[in-house]
Amino acid sequence: MAALTTDVTEITVIGDDDTGLIARVTSLLFERGVNIEDLDQAVRDGVFRMYLAVDTSEMVCTEGTLRSDLHDLGDDLGLDVQVRFPADREHQQIAVLVTKESHCLEALFEAWANDNLGADIGVVIGNHDDLQPLAEHYDVPFHDIGNENGQQNEDELLALLEEYNVDLIVLARYMRILSPNVVFRYEDRIINVHPSLLPAFPGAEAYRQAIEEGVRVAGVTAHYVTTDLDQGPIITQRAFDVPDDADVDEMKRRGQPLEADALLEAVQLHLNGDVSVHRGRTSVRENGTEYQLGLPDELEEFTPDRPIDGIGSAVAEDH
């Protein structure tokens, strides 16, 4: 997906795959004087998703009419159509998805309470109710969408995301995989933190995988969620040293503070508009230079800067 300016209108279309869907939507936009700046479509597990970034500055109808017309078309075609005008994104709402680990949620809450987040945490959604007391401490609604085994109810999840008008979904150590039916609706608006230096050790038990492979440096990665597990565009990473005798508990002790740090920074980058996604890679815009995407600057003094290639040719020239 191309990098976008903040004044575009975003349209997301979700439904069962069928022929002619793209033409019907684009024709409606053309008839109303809407210019399409970017279009991306995909199909996964029979779910069709189309994302459009459009310029509505010279359209020949009101925002309300365009939204209504797109919803009516969606009803006719059996599609779910979401429209986000620039004004809709001025005050963003976050939904935090959690399971049982509290450290990432606590970091987000602390930043929010100190006005360092850049958006409101509107709701916390869990597949267990372990973190409900933490949400209640910050006066944030909590909803448990899991059964006795922690299996999520995605219909309930989607209803809550719509009810709370969610702009960004943050997976704060949420231990369930989201289906394309959810991911496609919030493309580049779901951020997860994974306990490894992706692409190494994706999937479950990443710290255990690192120990079994004998790595000397491990870490964590905050990334956008896609329909491919733990393969979405990387935003921030942190690393830590792995002692000889490290077990999983020691890895968690070292990694969890970095998980919270990397996730929080990734969320701030996204909310401030300082990070963009293009062709599966993230980049930080010019105004985002204060962020620590990887290792801290203090480590530069410990990183050798020579020898490097080219010394041999320089010596040859002297002769």
Side-chain angles (χ1 to χ4, degrees), residues 217-229:
V217 176
V220 305
T221 302
H223 65 97
Y224 285 110
V225 172
T226 66
T227 54
D228 296 312
L229 179 63

Side-chain angles (χ1 to χ4, degrees), residues 2-238:
L4 300 176
T5 58
T6 57
D7 57 353
V8 299
T9 295
E10 297 176 313
I11 301 171
T12 304
V13 181
I14 304 290
D16 294 334
D17 190 25
D18 200 358
T19 58
L21 298 179
I22 296 175
R24 292 289 299 274
V25 175
T26 55
S27 295
L28 184 151
L29 296 175
F30 175 76
E31 291 167 0
R32 286 150 185 77
V34 176
N35 181 51
I36 299 173
E37 296 190 356
D38 185 46
L39 187 155
D40 184 65
Q41 62 90 26
V43 177
R44 178 62 64 90
D45 296 338
V47 179
F48 167 81
R49 186 268 302 166
M50 177 169 60
Y51 169 88
L52 304 101
V54 303
D55 180 3
T56 55
S57 61
E58 298 183 5
M59 67 179 177
V60 296
C61 65
T62 65
E63 290 185 355
T65 298
L66 179 63
R67 192 192 302 271
S68 177
D69 289 348
L70 284 168
H71 286 168
D72 288 345
L73 178 62
D75 291 341
D76 290 343
L77 299 176
L79 301 172
D80 179 22
V81 181
Q82 300 175 357
V83 185
R84 299 171 74 233
F85 292 102
D88 297 332
R89 304 192 298 271
E90 289 178 357
H91 190 73
Q92 299 192 70
Q93 294 288 322
I94 296 174
V96 184
L97 272 59
V98 298
T99 296
K100 295 184 178 182
E101 297 180 26
S102 64
H103 54 287
C104 289
L105 178 61
E106 181 63 32
L108 292 165
F109 272 143
E110 288 182 359
W112 180 47
N114 293 322
D115 294 325
N116 293 324
L117 192 56
D120 280 337
I121 299 176
V123 63
V124 176
I125 303 171
N127 64 321
H128 293 279
D129 63 2
D130 297 56
L131 299 185
Q132 184 169 351
L134 181 57
E136 291 176 345
H137 175 75
Y138 285 92
D139 294 323
V140 173
F142 182 94
H143 295 270
D144 181 1
I145 62 166
N147 62 18
E148 62 275 8
N149 298 318
Q151 182 62 46
Q152 65 200 6
N153 183 326
E154 284 204 341
D155 290 338
E156 187 177 355
L157 172 60
L158 288 171
L160 288 168
L161 296 175
E162 183 176 357
E163 176 185 345
Y164 287 93
N165 196 26
V166 170
D167 298 287
L168 176 66
I169 302 169
V170 180
L171 307 185
R173 299 298 290 133
Y174 184 64
M175 307 305 289
R176 287 288 175 179
I177 297 172
L178 299 177
S179 78
N181 200 32
V182 176
V183 175
F184 276 168
R185 283 174 163 79
Y186 295 89
E187 191 88 1
D188 292 340
R189 292 192 286 144
I190 308 175
I191 297 177
N192 181 45
V193 64
H194 183 74
S196 80
L197 291 172
L198 292 174
F201 313 130
E205 299 287 345
Y207 286 144
R208 186 178 302 279
Q209 291 183 62
I211 293 173
E212 291 173 352
E213 293 296 330
V215 301
R216 292 302 184 180
V217 176
V220 305
T221 302
H223 65 97
Y224 285 110
V225 172
T226 66
T227 54
D228 296 312
L229 179 63
D230 294 331
Q231 295 184 41
I234 291 170
I235 310 172
T236 58
Q237 292 187 300
R238 300 287 186 271

